[in-house]
Amino acid sequence: MQEILLQIINVVLFIIQWLPTLMFVYFLMSWFPGARQSKIGRILGRIFEPILEPFRKIIPPIGMFDISSLIAYIVFQYAMRVLTMLIANYIVPLLF
């Protein structure tokens, strides 16, 4: 049972580590016409648009630059690090 839970935790940590990278890829897709309308762009949009929406409501664009995405990326990356630390420090020791 512990091995199964450890494998699940490893999968969750793997996803947590790759989410900021995927968010960055989603931001880069906005620079290329039609990239966000591709299948991958739509999948990433479903994942990240709900995260970005509150930041866009709070932080207005400066000229033609939308810095809310940058702020969201920094906050998201910090949150993923905190979540990883919490899992490593509190959940993994419970398994052993």
Side-chain angles (χ1 to χ4, degrees):
M1 183 67 169
Q2 288 178 342
E3 291 178 22
I4 294 171
L5 291 175
L6 191 59
Q7 290 297 325
I8 291 171
I9 289 173
N10 284 335
V11 169
V12 169
L13 289 174
F14 178 79
I15 291 169
I16 289 171
Q17 289 173 345
W18 279 97
L19 278 176
T21 304
L22 291 174
M23 183 182 260
F24 186 72
V25 168
Y26 183 66
F27 296 152
L28 291 180
M29 292 177 98
S30 68
W31 294 357
F32 301 101
R36 284 194 175 176
Q37 286 73 33
S38 69
K39 187 173 185 174
I40 294 172
R42 289 192 307 266
I43 292 170
L44 292 177
R46 286 183 187 162
I47 295 169
F48 295 115
E49 283 302 322
I51 296 169
L52 295 172
E53 191 62 33
F55 288 95
R56 289 186 180 136
K57 288 180 181 177
I58 296 170
I59 304 167
I62 299 173
M64 57 186 231
F65 297 106
D66 182 17
I67 63 167
S68 63
S69 298
L70 177 63
I71 303 299
Y73 177 75
I74 292 168
V75 169
F76 187 71
Q77 194 168 22
Y78 178 75
M80 294 300 107
R81 286 184 184 170
V82 169
L83 186 59
T84 301
M85 183 187 68
L86 290 174
I87 290 171
N89 290 336
Y90 295 107
I91 302 220
V92 172
L94 291 176
L95 298 176
F96 299 106

